[in-house]
Amino acid sequence: MATKYTVDPGAPDPSYLSFWRERHLCTLTTPRPDGTPHLVPVGVTYDPEARLARVITNRASAKVRYVRAAGDEGAAVAVCQLEGRRWATLEGRAFVHDEPDRVAEAERRYAERYGRTPSPNPARVVIEIHLTRAMGRG
């Protein structure tokens, strides 16, 4: 019998949401222009009410270049975290934003989840992932 690991990204169960609120290092996978995956460690925040995951980063990073290279449709990406037998993946379309209010909101959420305020960075942007799929076992 197959085990069901799918989760509604807009209405996760309490254990899944709790897992995303714990302090964990995550990974972000973005597609390179040649189609191969680019996987890097990141901090991620999850906002199920808005169906968004957010990653703060520097505008000159490879991940930003790869998301922007995808064009107006956004890049198909995934973020993942794990601890022991618990794991969670969020998938969706990613877009880069540099508007101060969006970056500030991402920084606020990062500080809340990771327990530290990010250092000031005038080159900071936020990658917003509009979630289409979630899976895992929180």
Side-chain angles (χ1 to χ4, degrees), residues 20-25 43-45 56 106-119:
W20 275 105
R21 290 188 172 148
E22 295 171 11
R23 187 180 192 280
H24 292 286
L25 184 62
V44 175
T45 62
I56 57 174
E107 290 171 334
R108 183 190 70 75
R109 289 175 179 275
Y110 179 95
E112 184 178 278
R113 181 176 188 195
Y114 290 99
R116 70 173 195 82
T117 300
S119 302

Side-chain angles (χ1 to χ4, degrees), residues 64-76 92-97 128 130:
V64 166
R65 286 194 314 272
Y66 297 147
V67 169
R68 285 186 168 151
D72 292 342
E73 292 182 15
R93 304 302 278 185
F95 302 87
V96 178
H97 295 282
E128 290 184 354
H130 297 256

